[in-house]
Amino acid sequence: MKRIKTLSEYFKKYELSEKDPEKFWSEIAYSFIWKKKWDNVLESDFENADFKWFKNAQLNITENIFERNLSERGDKTAIIWEPNDPKESPIYMSYKELYKQTCTFSNALKSKGIKKGDRVIIYMPMVPEAAIAMLACARVGAVHSVVFAGFSAASLADRINDCEAKMVLTSDGNFRGNKTIPVKDVVDEALEKCSSIESVIVLERTKQNINIKDGRDFWWHECIEDESNICDSEVMDSEDLLFILYTSGSTGKPKGVVHSSAGYMVYSSYTFLNVFQYDEEDIYWCTADVGWITGHSYIVYGPLLCGATTVMFEGVPTYPNVSRFWDIVDKYKINQFYTAPTAIRALQAHGLEPLKNNSLDSLKVIGSVGEPINEEAWHWYHDNVGKGKCPLVDTWWQTETGGIMISALAGITPNKPAHASLPLPGIMPVIVDADGNELNGNNVQGNLCIKSPWPSIIRTTYGDHERCINTYFSNYKGMYFTGDGVKRDHDGYLRILGRVDDVINVSGHRMGTAEVENAINEHEDVIESAVVGYPHDIKGEGIYAYVIVGTKLNDDKIKDEIINVVRKVIGPIAKPDKIQIVSGLPKTRSGKIMRRILRKVASNDFQNLGDTSTLLNPDIVTEIIDGAII
Ligand code: WTA
């Protein structure tokens, strides 16, 4: 695959992708190994959310990671693993070794009865085996669904049940900073509510005591003991499912976003190579967790498809101290560093002291993902981490898009602080107003839609295609609706403004307000609740909950209990930052909560509350303002 090297080449490619997308994408697709070539590059139907890329072709994504790379890069390091504890030894795993371990574990999966199409849940720490688990599933044609290991037993059970998974891959425990998390206990608790799971494979990591259920639970090291390290890859149709990844939306429970084999392979690798401008000898590090889409596309699949060296970090940025990220950059001489604004802001809060013993000279490119990066954080990151010399790629994309959609190409597209900048070739963003009119030209602001399909566009929401159509393809006819607001400035550069729906972005993680409300409402004393986001210095957005309770408990006690319920139902990442106990919620005459008012109050913006005369209970607004937690 050839990389774009100049701005004029970018514009040329963009033009081609607009005029003849099939030619554009097939030229890229030719660089992969296909077991059978496609009949048609693209069949697309926005109305029914039906997209077929490289129709009727056959492939296996792992063949394109291994067999395609091995002759040239067999001894090259594929994964560098940095453990939670810096005193523990890192692992350097070559492509050859990763291949062998993937094949061995693929055979172990088969021995446990896993076949093409079966769903396998991965609930693991950030260790090489997590990547091996994903790749082994892909090798045998099983559909993986990675669940971030910070989610609660209830959330894990929901995901297992939604996709009727047959197997869980997990560990005894996880190390995270100075904590040890008993993940196997969480799995045991979840499985009490799941009937589809036939087996659990447990990686030994923390060596803590766990419960092993005979006939259901097996140790990872025992499963691979007698397996061969040769395993032919399963034949996958282009549109066969590669993975499901659950993500929060504005309504209901998290939905299983489905990505298919060929399109995802082509798009994740193309975008990795071009956005980060990866060179053969570079060491690349993305700090995400494989539980999120960023970990899928830009720790595992994108880099490995390109034969890159990708770093996996088990720990957290603050352990054993706040220099950890910068120590790792120097230790491995990282060339491309990709992280989230929330991490930047958290580290920025510690000043420059933690950076003073680090050279960071190896860095060539720095990247940002997951939420809008504010100008202050942008400059701090650019000046102090990138030393003013590294291009900063602010990459906008989503679980549903599979790969980066709007971003500078490092060192090619001129940088503009806090702007994701320009769409990648093949991506046609449009800005629409509330009525669906396209707002052309510069200096316009509205909702962000994409009007032509790209190879890794969401294929469906698992088990409920109607939901996929309704969420993404019915707001605006003939377009994919992102849920984000955007502005095109006077230079034509795009600036993402954040969600326009009821999704809150907390530290780069998506949370549905309805999902958090449902969790709060599980407390027996809660009568009703309403959750909104508010600006938070470190997290980007914080969670503000207004709760009506019928209890004799004092406010502090009930607030603690509510936080515990949310931890239990969703996980610690969803716990409200602020809880205000109220006697009522502002409602319209039709009974709808007027969230606009709640958002303003939570944001400490008591002016311009707008028209409150249509409220059923206008007096409540004064009470809410008086009791606001600032
Ligand atoms: C937000 C993460 C501004 C956005 C890859 C999107 C961003 C949601 C950026 C998707 C960015 C992601 N600038 N906002 N560079 N990147 N977002 O599915 O609101 O976890 O809709 O995917 O994060 O979050 P998700």
Side-chain angles (χ1 to χ4, degrees):
M1 199 189 319
K2 279 216 208 91
R3 200 172 84 184
I4 294 171
K5 294 211 163 116
T6 62
L7 193 58
S8 64
E9 205 185 327
Y10 158 74
F11 285 120
K12 240 194 256 150
K13 288 285 180 202
Y14 193 84
E15 208 180 299
L16 170 65
S17 75
E18 213 170 5
K19 270 204 216 120
D20 193 348
E22 301 195 11
K23 177 161 188 265
F24 173 78
W25 286 113
S26 59
E27 276 175 4
I28 296 165
Y30 277 122
S31 66
F32 292 91
I33 302 177
W34 299 88
K35 292 178 194 279
K36 175 175 168 280
K37 283 266 153 56
W38 51 90
D39 296 336
N40 247 343
V41 179
L42 170 65
E43 276 180 24
S44 150
D45 171 359
F46 267 93
E47 203 164 320
N48 296 303
D50 188 7
F51 306 101
K52 294 192 172 59
W53 278 93
F54 312 108
K55 193 175 174 195
N56 292 336
Q58 291 174 340
L59 74 153
N60 187 291
I61 195 167
T62 67
E63 199 173 338
N64 283 285
I65 290 175
F66 296 121
E67 282 84 344
R68 181 161 144 268
N69 280 317
L70 280 175
S71 59
E72 257 179 75
R73 305 183 174 103
D75 294 319
K76 179 174 173 176
T77 303
I79 293 177
I80 300 178
W81 175 68
E82 167 74 5
N84 179 60
D85 180 349
K87 291 198 261 346
E88 193 181 335
S89 300
I91 292 174
Y92 290 81
M93 193 180 289
S94 67
Y95 271 86
K96 232 191 262 162
E97 181 60 24
L98 181 63
Y99 174 55
K100 282 191 201 154
Q101 293 206 26
T102 299
C103 286
T104 309
F105 196 65
S106 301
N107 285 324
L109 291 177
K110 285 193 194 169
S111 296
K112 289 275 170 292
I114 294 297
K115 299 181 304 297
K116 179 174 173 178
D118 288 343
R119 275 80 58 212
V120 174
I121 296 282
I122 300 176
Y123 187 72
M124 290 182 69
M126 282 291 289
V127 289
E129 286 83 353
I132 290 167
M134 293 164 76
L135 297 171
C137 286
R139 186 96 182 155
V140 304
V143 179
H144 60 70
S145 186
V146 187
V147 178
F148 174 61
F151 278 118
S152 67
S155 293
L156 176 61
D158 280 348
R159 286 155 172 78
I160 292 171
N161 290 333
D162 187 76
C163 69
E164 295 170 288
K166 222 167 142 179
M167 182 186 261
V168 178
L169 306 175
T170 190
S171 61
D172 47 359
N174 290 1
F175 293 125
R176 256 181 97 73
N178 52 18
K179 292 198 202 110
T180 304
I181 299 159
V183 274
K184 175 59 168 57
D185 293 352
V186 180
V187 171
D188 289 343
E189 190 187 333
L191 293 191
E192 284 170 19
K193 296 191 213 101
C194 305
S195 57
S196 59
I197 296 295
E198 291 171 8
S199 44
V200 178
I201 299 185
V202 187
L203 180 79
E204 187 172 57
R205 174 67 188 122
T206 54
K207 299 194 161 54
Q208 64 202 95
N209 269 339
I210 58 161
N211 177 40
I212 289 280
K213 188 167 170 190
D214 270 354
R216 185 195 74 183
D217 301 349
F218 306 90
W219 285 108
W220 183 294
H221 54 271
E222 288 175 7
C223 288
I224 58 176
E225 232 161 39
D226 299 321
E227 296 294 354
S228 142
N229 62 15
I230 298 166
C231 176
D232 284 344
S233 62
E234 183 66 42
V235 179
M236 303 295 280
D237 183 87
S238 288
E239 287 304 328
D240 278 340
L241 270 61
L242 177 64
F243 66 84
I244 305 169
L245 185 59
Y246 285 84
T247 191
S248 296
S250 45
T251 54
K253 292 206 163 174
K255 43 189 178 291
V257 171
V258 167
H259 284 291
S260 62
S261 301
Y264 179 82
M265 170 179 80
V266 169
Y267 197 73
S268 61
S269 53
Y270 176 76
T271 49
F272 170 75
L273 194 68
N274 283 291
V275 170
F276 297 102
Q277 291 288 305
Y278 182 84
D279 268 326
E280 188 62 46
E281 301 306 320
D282 287 345
I283 314 281
Y284 160 89
W285 179 26
C286 165
T287 69
D289 188 285
V290 290
W292 312 112
I293 191 69
T294 307
H296 283 61
S297 303
Y298 300 112
I299 293 179
V300 180
Y301 287 112
L304 294 178
L305 282 160
C306 292
T309 300
T310 179
V311 174
M312 273 181 100
F313 173 42
E314 186 184 34
V316 296
T318 48
Y319 178 81
N321 58 55
V322 290
S323 295
R324 188 69 192 275
F325 269 8
W326 321 129
D327 290 346
I328 297 175
V329 168
D330 280 354
K331 181 171 178 184
Y332 300 113
K333 305 213 167 9
I334 304 288
N335 302 109
Q336 289 91 2
F337 174 72
Y338 190 29
T339 196
T342 190
I344 297 300
R345 288 189 298 263
L347 296 173
Q348 181 185 359
H350 294 277
L352 292 177
E353 182 70 19
L355 282 154
K356 85 172 193 294
N357 294 322
N358 299 89
S359 90
L360 308 183
D361 279 349
S362 55
L363 288 175
K364 298 201 286 195
V365 176
I366 54 177
S368 170
V369 61
E371 46 175 323
I373 180 163
N374 49 308
E375 287 192 34
E376 203 192 335
W378 195 98
H379 285 292
W380 189 88
Y381 190 27
H382 184 259
D383 296 351
N384 300 304
V385 179
K387 310 266 174 164
K389 69 177 172 43
C390 298
L392 195 168
V393 289
D394 175 7
T395 63
W396 175 84
W397 60 296
Q398 310 176 295
T399 306
E400 295 86 343
T401 70
I404 298 169
M405 303 283 280
I406 302 175
S407 169
L409 306 184
I412 292 173
T413 320
N415 267 173
K416 188 178 231 187
H419 286 69
S421 83
L422 302 176
L424 298 198
I427 305 305
M428 311 295 149
V430 280
I431 303 181
V432 293
D433 66 16
D435 303 321
N437 303 309
E438 269 189 46
L439 304 174
N440 294 312
N442 292 343
N443 283 320
V444 289
Q445 181 174 328
N447 291 345
L448 175 60
C449 291
I450 314 287
K451 71 172 172 189
S452 61
W454 62 99
S456 60
I457 188 170
I458 179 175
R459 294 306 198 271
T460 190
T461 46
Y462 193 80
D464 191 352
H465 194 62
E466 276 307 300
R467 189 174 180 195
C468 175
I469 297 174
N470 290 336
T471 313
Y472 307 106
F473 299 96
S474 58
N475 299 49
Y476 302 103
K477 240 187 155 36
M479 296 180 198
Y480 166 82
F481 174 50
T482 65
D484 279 313
V486 67
K487 184 176 172 189
R488 197 187 291 117
D489 75 0
H490 53 276
D491 290 328
Y493 267 46
L494 297 168
R495 178 173 194 159
I496 307 295
L497 304 171
R499 303 290 303 197
V500 294
D501 54 6
D502 286 323
V503 171
I504 317 179
N505 193 325
V506 186
S507 302
H509 304 317
R510 278 162 66 166
M511 296 273 80
T513 53
E515 202 186 337
V516 183
E517 287 162 9
N518 290 340
I520 293 175
N521 297 350
E522 292 218 359
H523 190 290
E524 55 182 9
D525 291 343
V526 169
I527 296 168
E528 197 178 4
S529 63
V531 163
V532 295
Y534 72 96
H536 187 289
D537 284 350
I538 306 285
K539 297 177 173 185
E541 278 189 286
I543 300 178
Y544 194 119
Y546 299 87
V547 188
I548 308 173
V549 290
T551 179
K552 294 198 178 58
L553 294 177
N554 71 39
D555 277 9
D556 284 344
K557 181 93 177 86
I558 187 82
K559 285 181 188 179
D560 281 352
E561 287 195 5
I562 288 171
I563 287 174
N564 278 335
V565 169
V566 175
R567 290 176 82 100
K568 223 174 144 43
V569 176
I570 306 178
I573 54 174
K575 70 182 202 308
D577 298 277
K578 295 180 179 177
I579 300 175
Q580 182 180 350
I581 306 294
V582 293
S583 69
L585 292 165
K587 288 197 177 163
T588 61
R589 283 179 212 285
S590 57
K592 272 185 77 170
I593 297 173
M594 222 189 238
R595 287 171 186 279
R596 177 173 53 82
I597 293 175
L598 298 178
R599 269 190 225 110
K600 291 239 173 197
V601 173
S603 309
N604 196 5
D605 176 11
F606 302 123
Q607 314 297 315
N608 315 315
L609 285 182
D611 184 11
T612 53
S613 63
T614 55
L615 285 177
L616 200 59
N617 49 350
D619 294 347
I620 200 69
V621 177
T622 319
E623 180 204 307
I624 287 179
I625 290 176
D626 287 346
I629 303 167
I630 298 167

